[in-house]
Structures are given as C-alpha cells and as structure tokens.
Amino acid sequence: DDFAYLEATYPVVYRDADVQIVERTGALPRAWIVHEARQTEPTEALALLSSGAFDPRDTALIESLPPELERPSAPAADRVSIVDYRPESIEMQVSTTAAGLLILSEISYPGWKVFVDGEPAESYVADYLFRAVAIPPGEHTVEWRYQTRSTSLGIAISVTTLAGLAA
C-alpha cells in the first residue's frame, strides 16, 4: 500500500528491474532566500512547522531579533547556487533584488561561521534548526566555514609535534 501511495503521489524519476525512485516535488531546496521573518521561541517554531500553518518558503522563524528585510519587486529573480561543498566549508553565489535572509538547510551548530563577500556576518537559527544569514540586495559570495578554537589548537599542536619529530 505504501509503495502504491508513493507511486500515485510522486513522479517516478528512475526505474529499473530492482529500483524505483520517486521525486518529492514539494521538498525544500538546499538553500533559498526569504524576505520575511518573525521572532519565535524554539518550541513555538517547532509547533508551527509541524502544524503546516506556515510556509518556510516565504517566512523564516528566527530565534533572535530578525534582520531588516525587504519585499522584492520580482521574488522569482532570487538565485542561490552552491559553488563548493566540503565537510568544513560551503561556498554559494547569491543574487537578490531586495534585502533577504539566505537559509541553508544545514543544521545550525556552534563553530560554523558565515562570511558575506569575505566579511564576517551574523548567523541566525531559522526554522528551529537551519543556518541563515542576512543578504543585502545584489550579487554576493557567501561562505560558511567550520572554525572552532579546538580545531585551531589541534592543528597548532600537530604542526608543532611534526616539526619536533622532524628536528
């Protein structure tokens, strides 16, 4: 019954003798821009997301005071593309005609720092668990880097140890 439901609900994008893959067309993209945000407590955000009473494609639920955002004249003109994806960094090219909030469907975790056009920017927790950053109008490069003090200290200790061993 479950397979029949999936096949009737979602388009089949691949099929062979052993495998059938369907596409969930309503799934959120890897990254997107919204132009409206509201401040909520984490438990309220989770309840709103679970209820389906709110569309995360249009509005972000932010745990802190949201940045200033603007309604674009042409929302369809917003563009986000991932240029480089590595375990410790993600680089994106972003274009928008109005101030927006770039949401990345990656878990917000301490140690991730965000840079817009090479400059440090404030990171927000959006929709209970995603990373987000304010984006001004125009074309921008956004980079998320995993940088913790313990990682830097570990690298310094390793380099010092290797130098000592080499000596």
Side-chain angles (χ1 to χ4, degrees):
D1 290 343
D2 290 339
F3 291 118
Y5 168 78
L6 290 173
E7 200 170 28
T9 306
Y10 302 110
V12 176
V13 294
Y14 176 82
R15 179 181 300 168
D16 66 20
D18 301 316
V19 176
Q20 182 169 305
I21 299 174
V22 296
E23 178 183 11
R24 185 172 175 213
T25 54
L28 291 169
R30 184 67 165 215
W32 68 98
I33 299 172
V34 297
H35 294 279
E36 187 177 326
R38 73 182 226 211
Q39 186 175 3
T40 62
E41 294 296 321
T43 53
E44 181 187 1
L46 190 56
L48 284 168
L49 288 163
S50 298
S51 73
F54 127 99
D55 187 358
R57 285 178 179 78
D58 297 325
T59 305
L61 303 175
I62 305 293
E63 294 181 10
S64 57
L65 187 64
E68 291 287 326
L69 303 175
E70 304 168 316
R71 280 276 173 213
S73 56
D78 286 350
R79 297 280 181 254
V80 179
S81 62
I82 296 176
V83 176
D84 188 35
Y85 188 94
R86 300 172 190 218
E88 72 286 346
S89 67
I90 302 169
E91 183 180 337
M92 295 174 276
Q93 291 297 318
V94 179
S95 176
T96 183
T97 59
L101 191 67
L102 170 66
I103 300 176
L104 179 62
S105 62
E106 297 270 337
I107 294 175
S108 181
Y109 187 80
W112 282 99
K113 309 291 185 222
V114 65
F115 301 83
V116 177
D117 297 327
E119 297 295 320
E122 183 177 353
S123 178
Y124 296 89
V125 177
D127 300 341
Y128 187 73
L129 70 142
F130 294 145
R131 292 184 233 157
V133 63
I135 301 294
E139 306 258 340
H140 303 283
T141 299
V142 176
E143 186 177 7
W144 291 89
R145 297 183 210 145
Y146 189 70
Q147 299 176 331
T148 64
R149 189 177 168 124
S150 60
T151 302
S152 300
L153 183 59
I155 291 171
I157 289 170
S158 297
V159 168
T160 303
T161 302
L162 288 174
L165 289 172

